[in-house]
Amino acid sequence: MDMQTTIIKELHGLAASPVPPPEAALDWTVPQHWERFTGADHAVWDLLFARQETLLQGRAVSAFHDCLDVLSLSRPGVPDFAELNAALIARTGWKVVAVPGLIPDDIFYAHLAKRQFPAGNFIRSADELDYLEEPDVFHDVFGHVPLLADPAFADFMETLGHIGLAALARGDLARVAHLYWRTVEFGLAREDGELRIFGAGILSSFGETRFALESDEPQRIDFDLEAAMTKPYRSDRFQDRYFVLDRFADVLTLADRKRWGD
């Protein structure tokens, strides 16, 4: 089996220092400095984009394909966030902000609550196309941003930000983090009678795209909120179980803030 394309830490901020690095602002954002990406960096993005766009035909939820054009910018390669944000803000009010790497939980959920998605300001090398220790700009932008251009999913993500902050204040983040993992990162849904991908950890992974839908190894379980929030998961390999929503639109019912005491 191929190595996991994107090994995402248990939480986006789990391994992050509570103090931002010198080049970062207090909210951990940094200037993208798009001009510093090299020709090799842009070539890696284009290769990853082309192969995933092809592979995901008939495998991703239709909303992902409908919104993928938000990444069809005026020049190839790693997206310039200024140009990307002009398109994304016009659609749903979301924008992408550059961060140096993993960020603390409170900072991560605060960004989501403000409709800002933090994206790693680096890209994997050509000899590491299918293995990463932490999410890079391809995972964060290709995997997450298209669905942030879908109004319903954009609302879901903002609500998760508020729920996450409230759970942090209660000392109860683990359940929200599990929900995020089982939906935003590794969620599946039924569409027109077929299984489809909406989780960014799968959408950005060449190996897990096929594994999640076609392998006999993992369990594919009808979505149950309590189980999704409590069942253990793996952050160092392909998942051994995926939770399946009856419809992609059902993700909205999972972020009822009254249910979460927010």
Side-chain angles (χ1 to χ4, degrees):
M1 183 177 70
D2 292 343
M3 294 297 290
Q4 168 78 321
T5 299
T6 315
I7 295 184
I8 308 164
K9 300 302 183 186
E10 301 234 346
L11 302 174
H12 274 256
L14 191 63
S17 164
V19 179
E23 70 275 15
L26 291 178
D27 65 356
W28 285 70
T29 58
V30 296
Q32 187 192 18
H33 289 305
W34 184 88
E35 71 282 357
R36 296 182 184 176
F37 285 103
T38 67
D41 292 334
H42 292 307
V44 166
W45 171 279
D46 288 341
L47 173 60
L48 292 169
F49 188 102
R51 72 176 189 172
Q52 282 304 106
E53 184 180 29
T54 298
L55 183 61
L56 289 170
Q57 294 298 320
R59 292 185 169 98
V61 293
S62 57
F64 178 83
H65 296 295
D66 292 344
C67 296
L68 190 60
D69 66 339
V70 76
L71 299 181
S72 299
L73 305 178
S74 63
R75 48 193 169 186
V78 177
D80 182 332
F81 289 177
E83 185 178 357
L84 173 59
N85 286 338
L88 192 56
I89 289 170
R91 293 196 183 198
T92 60
W94 273 81
K95 68 177 181 179
V96 181
V97 293
V99 294
L102 295 172
I103 63 177
D105 301 325
D106 58 338
I107 302 297
F108 177 73
Y109 286 101
H111 278 301
L112 297 190
K114 293 187 290 187
R115 291 194 172 229
Q116 297 180 168
F117 194 84
N121 199 30
F122 63 95
I123 193 165
R124 68 197 76 178
S125 64
D127 57 358
E128 293 182 312
L129 291 181
D130 296 313
Y131 183 88
L132 281 182
E133 291 187 355
E134 60 183 277
D136 69 344
V137 69
F138 184 76
H139 164 76
D140 285 336
V141 173
F142 182 89
H144 287 281
V145 168
L147 286 178
L148 291 177
D150 176 80
F153 195 76
D155 289 346
F156 167 66
M157 287 289 282
E158 180 193 352
T159 302
L160 270 184
H162 292 290
I163 290 171
L165 290 175
L168 271 167
R170 296 191 304 267
D172 185 31
L173 181 63
R175 290 161 65 84
V176 179
H178 274 70
L179 176 62
Y180 186 97
W181 187 270
R182 295 299 192 186
T183 56
V184 177
E185 292 293 356
F186 292 98
L188 299 178
R190 294 183 181 89
E191 190 172 81
D192 298 327
E194 302 289 338
L195 281 182
R196 294 289 184 264
I197 300 161
F198 71 90
I202 313 174
L203 292 170
S204 61
S205 170
F206 187 75
E208 194 152 6
T209 293
R210 288 194 174 95
F211 180 84
L213 296 183
E214 298 162 19
S215 174
D216 293 330
E217 293 182 39
Q219 296 177 294
R220 299 175 184 89
I221 304 167
D222 287 345
F223 195 93
D224 175 87
L225 183 60
E226 185 63 26
M229 293 188 300
T230 56
K231 291 287 187 182
Y233 56 77
R234 298 293 300 267
S235 61
D236 60 346
R237 52 160 292 168
F238 294 162
Q239 301 300 295
D240 55 12
R241 63 170 65 89
Y242 299 94
F243 284 82
V244 184
L245 291 169
D246 282 338
R247 302 172 304 157
F248 174 60
D250 290 346
V251 74
L252 291 173
T253 67
L254 306 178
D256 179 351
R257 291 167 68 173
K258 293 182 181 178
R259 181 210 303 266
W260 293 84
D262 181 19

